[in-house]
Structure formats: structure tokens, C-alpha cells
Amino acid sequence: MKKKLYVATLSVLVLFGAGALAAENDRVTSITSIEKVRSDLQMLNGELLATGASLQKVKEAEKNPAELKSAIRTFTAQATGLEAQSENIRKNVLSMKVRTKEYHDAWLKELEGMQNPSLKEKASKRFQEVKEEFDKIIETGDEAKRSFVPFVADLKDVKTYLETDPSSDAVKSLSNTIWKLGNRAHGVAGDVKNVIDQIDRTLEKSPGK
């Protein structure tokens, strides 16, 4: 199947020349950037759940000073890693938007050069279908961001609190907050999973996939 798609792509390039080659390069770059974001999100989801779990360990170790120190250290490392991964994703999402826009612009330019009205209409419809799927990635991403950003901000505050006062009393005072964050971690991970699922649907409908 992939061989047939490759041959078909080569045929298109021969017919349309340099313009089609540029569009094809943009397509490959766009898909690669989307796949990169997907990989980052999968890693983020694992770190989300691991950070939530490590925070619960802090609560469980409240009455054991030796275990508490280790639990706080583990949570701090997990939370720091989560922050770093979220910043990495932010940069890669910006790159994905730029690369995909370049691809869509190149695709539209190729459509403008088509002479057969019937084929042009079909190609335009196909373009809209693919673009709408990509737009859904952005929509679900924005939804996930609305839950993820405040969650990470709260984790950061808890991390600062415990770094400043790593005592049993401090952990006890945070007991309810820790419990709520543990529950929220699963909800936020679910929102991130929705973005991953939408990326899968978009890639499945993308040309050449």
C-alpha cells in the first residue's frame, strides 16, 4: 500500500513539477511536526500521572520523617520534569502550526492552478476536510490547555511550599489540596489523551498516510 502511495506521489510530482515538489516537502514537514507533538503529549501524559502519584506518596509519608524527605524529593523532581515537558510541547506546537500553515498555503496555491472545474472542486473539498481535521487538533488542544495550565500552576505552588517547609505539619496542612490534585491529574490526563486521539484521526485522513 505504501509503495502504491509512493508511486502515486512521484506521478503527481512529474505532472506538476517544482510547485508540487514544494507542496510535498511541506506536507512531509507538517506531518513530521504533528507526529512530534503527538509523541510529546504521550510522554506528558505519563509524567502527569507519575507526578500526581508522587504527590500522593508525599501525603502517605506524612508521619514518617525519613520517608517524607525522600517522597518530597521525588515529587519535586517529577513536577520539575512536567514543567519542562510542557514548555517543550508549547514550542513544538508553535512549530507545528507554522509548518502546517505553510503546507496548507502551498496546497491552496496548487489548487488555484487547476484548470478542470470538476477536479478542482473535488480537490478543494478534500483540502477542506483535511484542514478541518487539523483545526480540531487546535480546538481539543485549547480545551486541554484550560485544565492543564492551572493544574501545573497549583503543582508548582505545592512544590514551592514543600521546598520551603518540608515538614509533616506542612504536608498535613496541604492534605486536602493534595487529594484534589490527585483527582485532577486523571482528568487532565484524559483531556491530553483527547488531543492525542484527535491527532491520530487527523493523521489517518492526511494525504499519503
Side-chain angles (χ1 to χ4, degrees), residues 3-23:
K3 184 176 180 181
K4 290 181 179 179
L5 288 171
Y6 179 69
V7 172
T9 299
L10 287 178
S11 299
V12 170
L13 298 182
V14 170
L15 288 171
F16 292 96
L21 178 60

Side-chain angles (χ1 to χ4, degrees), residues 86-204:
S86 64
E87 175 60 18
N88 185 51
I89 288 176
R90 186 188 69 79
K91 293 178 181 178
N92 285 332
V93 166
L94 290 176
S95 176
M96 176 187 74
K97 288 180 178 179
V98 171
R99 302 305 178 212
T100 302
K101 184 180 185 304
E102 290 173 348
Y103 166 47
H104 288 164
D105 288 347
W107 193 349
L108 279 176
K109 189 174 181 179
E110 290 301 312
L111 290 179
E112 290 172 0
M114 295 183 69
Q115 300 300 312
N116 186 302
S118 177
L119 290 178
K120 187 173 184 177
E121 181 181 357
K122 291 179 180 179
S124 297
K125 183 179 179 181
R126 172 68 175 139
F127 168 80
Q128 287 300 325
E129 290 174 350
V130 173
K131 187 176 183 303
E132 284 173 9
E133 285 299 320
F134 174 77
D135 289 343
K136 288 177 184 178
I137 294 178
I138 306 304
E139 291 172 9
T140 54
D142 287 341
E143 291 173 6
K145 186 177 179 180
R146 282 193 286 272
S147 64
F148 178 79
V149 171
F151 174 76
V152 172
D154 286 346
L155 281 179
K156 188 174 181 179
D157 287 345
V158 169
K159 183 182 73 170
T160 300
Y161 191 133
L162 294 176
E163 286 176 332
T164 305
D165 182 8
S167 67
S168 296
D169 287 341
V171 174
K172 186 175 182 180
S173 71
L174 289 172
S175 180
N176 191 49
T177 299
I178 291 174
W179 178 78
K180 289 180 178 179
L181 284 173
N183 287 336
R184 284 170 62 190
H186 292 280
V188 175
D191 290 338
V192 173
K193 180 63 165 55
N194 289 339
V195 185
I196 295 172
D197 290 343
Q198 179 55 50
I199 288 177
D200 287 341
R201 287 190 288 271
T202 299
L203 291 174
E204 184 179 345

